[in-house]
Amino acid sequence: MPDPMDDPAILRALLELSPDFVALSEFIGQVVYVNPSGLALVGLDELPTDPPMTTSQFFTARGLEVANEAESGLRDEGFWRGRSELRHQVTGAGIPAAVCTFIVRRAEGRPDLIATIIRDRTVGHRRDAELEAAAVTAQHYAAEQEALAELSRLAVDADLPELLAAATAAAGSLLGVESAAVIRHDSPTDSTLRVDSVTRVLGKGAVVRAGDESLAGYALKHNTQVVCADVDKETRFNTATMTSLGLHSGVAVPISTPAPWGALAIYSSYRRDYREWEVSFLTAITSILSTALARIDLDSQLRLRGMHDTLTGLPNRALAYEVIDDALARAHEESGSVALLLLDIDDFKIINDSLGHESGDLALVRFTRRLAAATRERDTVARLGGDEFLVICEGIDSVTHAEELAHHIETAIAAPQPSGEAPTPLSVSIGIAVSEPGTTRRDLIHHADLAMYRAKDSGTGGYAVFDTGDIYDAERVRLLSIDLRHALAHGSLTLDYQPLVDIASGTIVALEALARWDHPELGAISPAEFVAVAERTGLATALGSWALRTACRQAAQWRAVWDITIRVNVSALQLRSSAFPDDVAAVLEETALPPHALGLEITETTWVSDTARVADTLTALHEMGVALLLDDLGKGHSSISYLDRYPMFECFKIDKSYIAALPNPRAQAVVAAIVALAKAFDVTVVGEGVETQAQFDSLVATGCDLAQGYLMGRPESAELTTEMLRSVRANRFAHP
């Protein structure tokens, strides 16, 4: 079979019918043949011959960029394949093409030709461009999502400057602009805007005008996103600032909370049509910023609430501590001093318990107004909790200066309130501490606290300045409280008993139990001291329970022989406890002591905290059959009215200060009047503190019922008291 390659018709058909561009050219560049498909591709009906076309005329400038590479391939290898771009001969448009060119060797001495086969890649090129664009888009999207994720993370816990810097950096770098900035109002009335965070050319020194005078100002004024593709064509706002900085386009998107807080703006140095995804990316950033601002605002509100007392609105303990630290730092720099005035409202519990917590809260609010009005403008007033307040005073010249401020506060608070107004505390105890070089906040607060307790111990109202002796006192209280707790746990406390004698018959009718503490190292501790320690350190209830149980157990033993009753002092804490009547009933059952054989002594200063709870407790004790006795009549408050209001009281003691004044006629008249009034209420009266025969005789003359004091017998231990009871025939004292 003959070789098809030898048939010219077959070869011509391949050329003529090929769908690709096929051309033959000479080495000098002249094109000698282009097949019909090739002519059609470049917009020719036939190949021009006058003048003839060259190879270069078939390609665009971009397509000729590979010319040297193609020539090298033909010269070195006789073959080249690559990408180029044909030129449409009518429109001049580029036609993407895949090119394969090679040398055709001719026989019989004829010159060789260059054959070129070109395939139209318009569709393929479009597909490649789409794929490339998709890849770029995916890359941008991934970068955007990474940036947004990082911003979202920062939005949770970063501070505002860090977040704004990250936002502008992300906007500037991913959108490829010259500058990105967060721009906002310092005040809505300002004519210029504040540049908070900025990248590159804009600079924080740039003056950005508000309202329609700038891109960001317009976005804020109208609360809308603004896209400016060309400043020369912009008519909505003044572009002078952008033009002066060489910026020709930009976008601004408001940051809302929900009102416009600021704007995220980007600027480019060339005219630019911003694509939808670019604006969407900026919007996503502003959404994150808006969420973060809401979180920061909430954090600020919570911190504000957390740093202020909810009732009075004053700074609380946490904020007060910060203020003290700052004040001490300034004092150190200025070689000045800071004074702390620690205030504790006197007897505030009376208002709280008698009128209820709601009234107590209102009283605290009214007190706060008085206190704030009495301080200097530069002072900080804080509430530490409960009825404790703190005044932080800077610029203190001396301790005397601090005392003057305390005196002014004390006087202002003590000013009488208009009649008809709700109760307002009128008395405070103030502890004063003044800083010295090196004083810490902890030292200052501790010193003020110690001084306040000394002021309170000295009586209602007043102030005290810290001195080093307070530290010794506080340490003694601390050590005594530890030892007292140990003594209660190990039975180291004892009770002494002092007789109460019926004046008419000389009979011992009762014994008062008095707590005693013989400290293993310090010796005998005064009851006044260790009872006060118990009250300050939370041991008062435990001490009272121990005394009640011990006294009742001893009384039950004595009553097997002698017809006497036992009297036990009761603390305010015990009376305020709703469980106290049940505790008393349990002790009586445990010790088999009849209720009528127990008398509970209540001091007048305890009873002044007259509350419904205390009244209920006393009523329950009275109904149980326990005798109730009012102690220290006249010590500081008038208790006579209680005898009418609360008939459950069976007896009261005249305070020893009245007895000590006997037999002075005036004192005797006062005692006689008290006795007469008590008898009108059918209440037994005890003269307490009888130490001399003259006092006893005077007391007899007033008609008093019972007497107690050293003249009748000193407090003695249970053993010695038992011996004393045995030695007194028929339990009688002869009239002294």
Side-chain angles (χ1 to χ4, degrees), residues 513-528:
L514 301 168
R516 297 291 184 262
W517 183 18
D518 189 13
H519 192 282
E521 297 177 4
L522 302 176
I525 306 296
S526 164

Side-chain angles (χ1 to χ4, degrees), residues 112-275:
D112 296 338
L113 296 175
I114 297 173
T116 302
I117 302 173
I118 300 176
R119 178 163 291 173
D120 181 4
R121 290 201 72 261
T122 300
V123 175
H125 179 75
R126 187 182 301 118
R127 185 172 62 251
D128 289 347
E130 290 172 352
L131 290 173
E132 183 178 354
V136 171
T137 300
Q139 185 178 4
H140 270 289
Y141 179 77
E144 287 176 21
Q145 294 307 304
E146 183 179 355
L148 293 175
E150 175 62 14
L151 288 175
S152 297
R153 184 189 66 79
L154 292 174
V156 174
D157 54 16
D159 58 21
L160 188 59
E162 181 183 3
L163 179 61
L164 296 182
T168 53
S173 61
L174 290 181
L175 299 186
V177 293
E178 274 64 38
S179 185
V182 171
I183 302 172
R184 64 187 182 97
H185 286 290
D186 257 340
S187 168
T189 59
D190 289 347
S191 60
T192 59
L193 300 175
R194 166 180 168 179
V195 180
D196 254 1
S197 182
V198 64
T199 64
R200 293 186 279 183
V201 300
L202 186 62
K204 286 193 175 182
V207 177
V208 181
R209 300 198 175 277
D212 296 341
E213 295 301 309
S214 67
L215 170 67
Y218 185 90
L220 284 173
K221 178 181 177 181
H222 299 279
N223 194 24
T224 185
Q225 64 183 33
V226 184
V227 179
C228 172
D230 186 348
V231 294
D232 294 334
K233 299 177 181 178
E234 183 57 62
T235 59
R236 294 169 293 179
F237 58 86
N238 191 330
T239 60
T241 300
M242 292 176 63
T243 302
S244 69
L245 294 171
L247 302 171
H248 293 282
S249 66
V251 180
V253 180
I255 305 166
S256 301
T257 61
W261 174 86
L264 174 62
I266 60 170
Y267 300 91
S268 177
S269 59
Y270 57 90
R271 295 163 183 80
R272 175 171 171 176
D273 290 323
Y274 293 92
R275 290 165 286 183

Side-chain angles (χ1 to χ4, degrees), residues 281-293:
F281 177 55
L282 293 177
T283 303
I285 292 177
T286 60
S287 177
I288 292 173
L289 292 179
S290 296
T291 301
L293 287 168

Side-chain angles (χ1 to χ4, degrees), residues 538-681:
L539 295 174
T541 299
L543 178 61
S545 296
W546 165 83
L548 178 65
R549 178 171 280 99
T550 304
C552 288
R553 184 182 297 112
Q554 182 61 61
Q557 294 176 14
W558 283 331
R559 283 183 60 81
V561 181
W562 299 283
D563 183 20
I564 59 170
T565 61
I566 191 72
R567 296 190 173 185
V568 182
N569 291 284
V570 176
S571 72
L573 286 175
Q574 287 174 294
L575 282 180
R576 293 184 186 123
S577 172
S578 59
F580 184 58
D582 292 335
D583 294 340
V584 172
V587 169
L588 292 175
E589 181 178 1
E590 174 189 328
T591 60
L593 184 71
H596 68 271
L598 173 63
L600 297 179
E601 293 198 5
I602 301 160
T603 61
E604 182 185 357
T605 51
T606 295
W607 178 242
V608 77
S609 56
D610 175 15
T611 68
R613 183 183 303 171
V614 171
D616 290 344
T617 299
L618 294 177
T619 299
L621 292 169
H622 177 67
E623 291 175 350
M624 191 188 302
V626 173
L628 299 175
L629 308 102
L630 193 58
D631 198 3
D632 297 338
L633 177 72
K635 192 171 184 179
H637 303 81
S638 177
S639 304
I640 296 294
S641 62
Y642 294 140
L643 300 179
D644 184 36
R645 291 165 57 193
Y646 301 101
M648 71 276 291
F649 283 107
E650 302 175 10
C651 175
F652 69 73
K653 286 183 177 181
I654 301 173
D655 185 65
K656 62 182 66 178
S657 61
Y658 291 96
I659 305 301
L662 296 176
N664 179 280
R666 184 179 182 84
Q668 183 168 335
V670 171
V671 172
I674 294 174
V675 171
L677 185 60
K679 289 186 178 296
F681 287 102

